[in-house]
Amino acid sequence: TGQVVASWPVQMQDIKCFLSYLASGNGIGDPSRITVWGFSAGAHLALMSALTNNSQFTGNCEWPSNNYTIKSVGVSSAPTDLNSMYSVTWPSGQTAIETLLGYTPPSNPASASAASPVDYVSSNGPKILMESGANDGLVPPTQSQELQTDYSNIGVQVQRIVINNVAHTLDLPNTSGVALTNIYNFVTSTNPVNATDTTPPVVTMTAVDSNNNPLSTGSQVDGNINFTISAADPIVSGQTSSGVASV
């Protein structure tokens, strides 16, 4: 039957509609204090969802688009400019960009720019943390540098961390989980619990590959990850979500 691949911006419309659904009483206790995180292609979507207006990329979603606020976004190995990344990434990275967009960026640079986080830099956006592996050839660290520079040019400081001896992966065993620790510290500092809350938020994530084998920090995966996220927070106490993340 063949494989059907949805081209941009369907992916973004799905993310925006999902956030609207969650904020409509379906899993988020306080939709005014959302943090989004992503790795690689997921980092691109996380940045796009955080930097664009709620009314952009809504598609035909049945849920209201103005019912949530993204306060912060943390990303690891994020494509920020699809035009510049296309010219320096590996052939597999070029193929991934072509699959996402449905065309090559050189053939339509304006549209590729409109699908890039660098096109949505503003002074009133969320707090941002970007992590890059110093040895990442798929999404080079120049991608996070480019977005940081664009923000610096308008007087906005964003956090950027380059992790030595790390390629295109969340962590390696010899980094002791530093990438995920950075994200956790960023989330708890930029989107803390309310002053009346006494219990800090604790979010745990379990993931398995397509063969149902547990994944540990440092696992490199292609395809889909089945995941379960449990939140222990005074606001969303005991809530659990599950789904599939593509990486």
Side-chain angles (χ1 to χ4, degrees):
T1 57
Q3 183 179 12
V4 177
V5 177
S7 296
W8 187 264
V10 171
Q11 302 87 345
M12 196 69 256
Q13 292 168 349
D14 284 348
I15 295 293
K16 287 293 190 76
C17 191
F18 182 58
L19 286 168
S20 295
Y21 166 78
L22 290 176
S24 298
N26 296 298
I28 295 180
D30 185 353
S32 69
R33 54 188 295 267
I34 294 175
T35 290
V36 292
W37 170 83
F39 167 71
S40 192
H44 169 254
L45 292 177
L47 279 174
M48 287 294 292
S49 66
L51 303 187
T52 56
N53 295 328
N54 285 19
S55 59
Q56 294 175 287
F57 300 108
T58 56
N60 297 316
C61 185
E62 62 183 290
W63 306 99
S65 62
N66 61 348
N67 61 352
Y68 65 89
T69 301
I70 296 177
K71 292 188 63 176
S72 58
V73 52
V75 292
S76 305
S77 302
T80 65
D81 185 336
L82 299 184
N83 283 305
S84 64
M85 178 180 161
Y86 188 84
S87 66
V88 296
T89 187
W90 296 335
S92 59
Q94 291 181 326
T95 299
I97 293 173
E98 293 166 5
T99 301
L100 171 71
L101 298 177
Y103 54 86
T104 64
S107 71
N108 196 341
S111 292
S113 180
S116 301
V118 292
D119 218 39
Y120 301 93
V121 171
S122 71
S123 59
N124 59 354
K127 300 292 185 181
I128 300 172
L129 168 66
M130 296 180 291
E131 295 181 302
S132 294
N135 300 337
D136 192 344
L138 187 64
V139 184
T142 51
Q143 285 291 291
S144 59
Q145 178 66 66
E146 185 174 344
L147 187 60
Q148 184 186 46
T149 299
D150 285 351
Y151 271 103
S152 179
N153 289 339
I154 61 171
V156 177
Q157 298 301 311
V158 301
Q159 296 183 51
R160 177 175 178 261
I161 300 173
V162 177
I163 305 174
N164 291 329
N165 303 315
V166 170
H168 193 71
T169 181
L170 283 176
D171 268 313
L172 293 175
N174 62 351
T175 62
S176 302
V178 63
L180 294 178
T181 300
N182 291 336
I183 294 293
Y184 175 81
N185 291 337
F186 170 75
V187 170
T188 54
S189 64
T190 59
N191 197 1
V193 295
N194 293 339
T196 56
D197 297 330
T198 58
T199 305
V202 177
V203 179
T204 59
M205 177 172 175
T206 58
V208 296
D209 62 19
S210 57
N211 295 317
N212 212 36
N213 297 315
L215 300 177
S216 59
T217 299
S219 297
Q220 299 192 47
V221 180
D222 291 321
N224 291 330
I225 297 175
N226 298 313
F227 65 88
T228 299
I229 302 175
S230 300
D233 186 311
I235 295 176
V236 290
S237 179
Q239 294 191 11
T240 299
S241 299
S242 61
V244 176
S246 295
V247 295

